Amino acid sequence: MSPSRSALDHTPRHGVRTFTPRWRTSPLTAERMERLLPRHTVPGEGVLDPQAWFGRSAPVVLEIGSGHGAAAVAYADAHPEHDLLAVEVHVPGVARMLAAAEPLGLTNLWVERGDAMPLLTDRVPSGSLAAVHLFFPDPWPKAKHAKRRFVQQHTLTLLADRLAPGGVLRIATDHAVYAAHVREQVAHHARWDVVEGERPDWRPKDGFEAKGLAAGRTVAEFALTPRA
């Protein structure tokens, strides 16, 4: 079956978000944010400048929707030569990530609390990212909610522009509907080569991945590289 025209929109839809901002802030979360976030936060405005933001000119990896931060912390710990910028709207998740990073003394883990799209659209220059990670995004499994899935034609175009030559977009999902959606979107986009099945060995198996595996679901792994 051919995808519907709306499923292959090339422009973002005004007011459509890929997340639902609902949470409660506990005293522990508030304490962690107040104490730890200043060490890892990035400027609230201006274009990404690795030297100014991170104190060095190293490869920058962007993780979109870092959740509780297990993958972000693991990557930063395994790749001290890179700076990882984790973007997440969920405040308790950010606080938990910062708490996990603290005993490791990570100095290459950075946080942008908010929506990744304004950051990517307005503040990340072309060719400035070594990699983008999208691990276990909200699947929005109902067909009527497909427009809310992060992977769309316009986001694929945007990410292809923001990645440096040789950069990679890594996507993982334990939902078959989302995996099929990724395949469909990439197949109808002219700027990507894709390899399936390569799981990065540094990523821990916890959080949504562990829940998916425990429920008997299969994790689909995608490594996308922009075509020259």
Side-chain angles (χ1 to χ4, degrees), residues 8 16 25 41 54 69 74 84 101 121 126 139 145 150 159-160 168 170 174 186 195 204 210-211 215:
L8 296 175
V16 173
T25 300
T41 194
F54 312 134
L84 185 133
T121 302
S126 297
H145 293 153
F150 187 87
L159 293 175
V168 60
R170 294 193 179 277
D174 63 318
V186 173
V195 174
K211 291 178 181 178

Side-chain angles (χ1 to χ4, degrees), residues 170-219:
R170 294 193 179 277
I171 304 171
T173 180
D174 63 318
H175 282 263
V177 169
Y178 202 97
H181 175 82
V182 171
R183 295 185 187 103
E184 176 185 78
Q185 293 292 325
V186 173
H188 287 83
H189 199 282
R191 296 187 61 183
W192 295 94
D193 293 317
V194 59
V195 174
E196 283 199 48
E198 293 184 350
R199 185 189 187 281
D201 57 9
W202 50 262
R203 196 180 74 217
K205 289 183 179 178
D206 63 357
F208 288 111
E209 182 169 5
K211 291 178 181 178
L213 293 173
R217 295 192 291 269
T218 299
V219 175

